[in-house]
Structures are given as structure tokens and as C-alpha cells.
């Protein structure tokens, strides 16, 4: 296993930010924080980059509060993360968007999938309504390599166009930036541990049983790509650069539709969030 070097990692992430022009003057970059290591790391690097290169752009952090079942320590951690980076934090409660987690958790559809739909929807909607020019996420290189392979297997070739550090927004869909595109979850953890940056490391959600199963499968994928990296130097970097080239050469994605119910971007007539609200109501 390669030894972790703090400065080399920082250099790699900063290079991604500058090479792919992830931040520009006058940007209003929004970042959703879960309390975990990846979003925390993305926040840290973006805020450090703006300070180091004196970029005249702003960062706003927000946390989507899923419900009272999430321990208070998550909010405390997110607060500490933003205090360290000197960034303003706003907290949004999903109750105010018509979601009742108790009810959602009793539906037959997998809860983590509903949770993903809610978070993706609100992250885009909240940021856009608050005036964001870009939405920053903590997705890292290992995620993209695994997504890529899974989408090849599933023949979802269109999705691969989304696998780039900078994903141009379309219609109401905000531009996404992924500063950790050439990083990994393990390196994010090592980095934050080395600088003493707080994050939640354990599974805190009481509904995480299904997610744990999914995480275990993902760990197996990670293990495979880490094994290749041991005998093939720079495997991940070259693979990710290859993904970017493929994404560039694939046909452009069409502009999303606007949901007939809420007007938010979707690739169907009615978005996943509105369908979830309807299922929640029908189950009452
Ligand atoms: Fe949501 Fe809990 Fe599943 Fe995480 S584990 S996706 S917080 S339901
Ligand atoms: Zn909708």
C-alpha cells in the first residue's frame, strides 16, 4: 500500500480544482454537509483553495436534517466543520418540504433509496433557490470508478457523461463540481485524521442495515481497484482520466424536463420526489 502524504494529496486536489476550473471569481458555491468525511473534506479543500489563491468567490454550507432519529452529534459535527473553515451554515429540515420520515420508513420501497432521492432533490432545489452558481459534492475517484464499471455492466452508457470533475448544469439542474474526483475515501479519511478535522466515522442512522449491505458490496469493489493499484502505478488516475475522455466523447445529455407537479428537473414526467410524496400520502 502506498504511504499517505498530506501535501501530495492536497496538491492533487488543488490541481483538479484549477485544471477543471471548478471555482471562478463571483461563484457562489453551495455544499451539502452530512457530517461525514467526504463532504467535510470537499468543504475543507474548496475553502482552503479560495483562501490560498485569493479567489473572489463565496462558499455556503448547508445540512439537510432528515429527522429526529439522526443523533444531535451530526449537527454538532457539521457546525464544527464549518466553524473551522469559517463558512456560514444553514440547516434545512425535510419536514418543511412535506416529508415525514416515520411514514417513508414504513413504505415497501427501500428507505435508503428514498433517502437518496430526497437528498439529491433538495440539494439542487435549495442551492438553486438560494442563488448558487455551483453545487459541490464529496464524491471521490473510487466512487466514480465503481459507478463507471457498474454502468458499463448495466449498459447505462448515458450516465457515464456525468462522470467528470465539472458537470455543466442544464435547465434547473445546477452545475456540479467534484474536487475529490482524483481522490479516494481512504485518502480523505487519512487527510482529515492528520489535520484533526472532525467528522462522523460510524453508522449513526438506525435504518442503516440495508445501507451496510450495500456498503459491504461497495467495499469489495474498492478492494479490487486497490489491488490493481498495488501492481499498476497510477492506475486510478489513468482510469479516471480515461473516464473523463469517454464522457467527453459521448453524446451530450438532453436538457432535463421540468416535473409536472413541482417544476424541478427530472428525466421523467413527474420527479422521484413528487412520486414519493404521493406514495406517502396514499399510504395514510
Ligand atoms: Fe438515509 Fe439512513 Fe439510509 Fe443513510 S442509512 S441513506 S441516512 S436511511
Ligand atoms: Zn416534482
Amino acid at each position: 500500500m502506498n504511504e499517505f502524504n498530506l501535501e501530495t494529496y492536497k496538491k492533487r486536489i488543488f490541481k483538479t480544482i484549477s485544471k477543471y476550473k471548478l471555482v471562478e471569481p463571483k461563484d457562489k458555491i453551495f455544499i451539502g454537509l452530512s457530517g461525514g468525511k467526504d463532504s467535510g473534506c470537499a468543504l475543507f479543500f474548496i475553502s482552503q483553495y479560495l483562501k490560498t489563491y485569493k479567489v473572489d468567490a463565496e462558499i455556503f454550507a448547508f445540512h439537510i436534517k432528515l429527522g429526529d432519529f439522526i443523533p444531535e452529534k451530526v449537527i454538532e459535527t457539521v457546525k464544527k466543520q464549518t466553524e473551522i473553515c469559517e463558512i456560514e451554515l444553514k440547516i434545512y429540515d425535510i419536514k418543511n418540504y412535506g416529508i415525514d420520515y416515520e411514514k417513508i420508513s414504513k413504505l415497501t420501497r427501500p428507505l435508503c433509496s428514498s433517502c437518496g432521492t430526497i437528498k439529491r432533490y433538495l440539494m439542487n432545489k435549495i442551492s438553486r433557490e438560494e442563488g448558487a452558481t455551483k453545487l459541490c459534492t464529496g464524491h471521490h475517484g473510487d466512487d466514480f470508478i465503481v459507478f463507471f464499471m457498474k454502468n458499463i455492466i448495466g449498459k447505462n452508457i448515458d450516465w457515464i457523461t456525468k462522470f467528470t470533475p465539472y458537470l455543466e448544469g442544464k435547465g434547473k439542474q445546477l452545475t456540479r463540481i467534484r474536487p475529490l474526483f482524483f481522490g479516494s475515501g481512504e485518502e480523505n479519511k487519512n487527510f482529515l485524521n492528520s489535520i484533526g478535522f472532525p467528522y462522523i466515522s460510524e453508522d449513526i442512522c438506525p435504518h442503516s442495515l440495508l445501507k451496510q449491505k450495500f456498503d459491504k458490496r461497495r467495499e469489495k469493489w474498492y478492494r479490487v481497484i486497490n489491488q490493481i493499484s498495488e501492481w499498476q502505478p497510477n492506475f486510478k488516475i489513468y482510469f479516471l482520466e480515461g473516464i473523463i475522455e469517454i464522457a467527453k466523447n459521448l453524446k451530450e445529455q438532453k436538457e432535463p424536463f421540468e416535473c409536472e407537479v413541482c417544476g424541478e428537473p427530472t428525466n421523467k414526467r413527474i420527479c422521484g420526489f413528487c412520486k414519493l410524496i404521493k406514495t406517502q400520502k396514499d399510504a395514510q
Side-chain angles (χ1 to χ4, degrees), residues 121 259-264 270-274:
Y121 176 91
C259 170
E260 286 179 8
V261 180
C262 69
E264 289 300 307
I270 295 176
C271 77
F273 185 86
C274 287

Side-chain angles (χ1 to χ4, degrees), residues 77-279:
T77 305
V78 167
K79 278 187 185 155
K80 277 189 212 146
Q81 290 180 333
T82 48
E83 275 162 23
I84 292 172
C85 297
E86 297 169 316
I87 301 292
E88 185 190 337
L89 170 72
K90 278 194 184 170
I91 296 172
Y92 296 87
D93 196 321
I94 61 161
K95 274 192 214 137
N96 300 329
Y97 295 89
I99 295 283
D100 182 331
Y101 231 83
E102 275 301 303
K103 287 179 187 151
I104 298 276
S105 65
K106 292 190 182 107
L107 301 178
T108 45
R109 64 175 277 177
L111 183 60
C112 294
S113 145
S114 304
C115 193
T117 303
I118 296 165
K119 285 189 269 191
R120 275 192 302 276
Y121 176 91
L122 289 180
M123 276 168 67
N124 190 69
K125 180 181 166 71
I126 290 170
S127 308
R128 196 191 65 246
E129 289 178 350
E130 295 284 335
T133 57
K134 287 169 184 162
L135 178 62
C136 174
T137 69
H139 292 113
H140 53 73
D142 287 359
D143 286 336
F144 286 107
I145 295 176
V146 175
F147 291 157
F148 177 81
M149 294 203 263
K150 283 188 172 174
N151 279 287
I152 292 280
I153 296 167
K155 301 184 183 62
N156 297 320
I157 308 301
D158 278 1
W159 276 91
I160 295 168
T161 55
K162 293 175 186 276
F163 301 166
T164 54
Y166 180 99
L167 180 66
E168 182 83 45
K170 284 192 169 68
K172 286 185 174 174
Q173 192 78 52
L174 274 173
T175 293
R176 313 271 151 145
I177 55 168
R178 290 96 174 222
L180 310 174
F181 191 88
F182 289 100
S184 71
E186 197 55 27
E187 287 171 305
N188 292 342
K189 191 169 83 184
N190 287 337
F191 185 86
L192 295 185
N193 288 345
S194 314
I195 62 166
F197 193 87
Y199 65 91
I200 301 279
S201 53
E202 68 276 17
D203 262 327
I204 33 84
C205 175
H207 305 292
S208 66
L209 219 65
L210 249 174
K211 187 176 159 283
Q212 282 166 10
K213 257 196 201 163
F214 172 79
D215 285 351
K216 274 197 188 126
R217 282 184 70 84
R218 198 172 47 183
E219 286 303 323
K220 287 186 187 164
W221 280 98
Y222 288 168
R223 228 176 291 145
V224 172
I225 56 179
N226 284 331
Q227 274 166 3
I228 303 174
S229 306
E230 278 173 24
W231 55 264
Q232 175 67 59
N234 293 323
F235 164 72
K236 290 186 193 176
I237 305 278
Y238 293 147
F239 200 101
L240 288 161
E241 286 174 346
I243 295 177
I244 295 174
E245 281 309 305
I246 294 173
K248 262 198 249 164
N249 286 291
L250 284 173
K251 230 176 41 203
E252 280 266 307
Q253 288 227 322
K254 281 185 232 114
E255 192 164 311
F257 308 119
E258 287 184 11
C259 170
E260 286 179 8
V261 180
C262 69
E264 289 300 307
T266 174
N267 52 8
K268 306 246 168 62
R269 230 166 35 83
I270 295 176
C271 77
F273 185 86
C274 287
K275 281 185 194 155
L276 194 60
I277 295 270
K278 184 172 182 309
T279 320

Side-chain angles (χ1 to χ4, degrees), residues 15-71:
K15 191 176 162 196
T16 309
I17 301 174
S18 63
K19 181 172 175 187
Y20 295 94
K21 299 191 172 54
L22 301 193
V23 296
E24 287 158 310
K26 308 282 173 249
D27 260 342
K28 281 187 168 208
I29 298 164
F30 276 58
I31 178 160
L33 299 177
S34 63
K37 62 180 179 9
D38 300 328
S39 54
C41 210
L43 171 77
F44 181 82
F45 279 123
I46 287 284
S47 64
Q48 281 294 306
Y49 185 91
L50 297 191
K51 279 182 192 154
T52 308
Y53 296 102
K54 300 192 173 36
V55 185
D56 179 23
E58 292 173 282
I59 313 174
F60 299 89
F62 63 97
H63 173 73
I64 296 174
K65 191 169 177 237
L66 296 171
D68 297 335
F69 62 93
I70 299 285

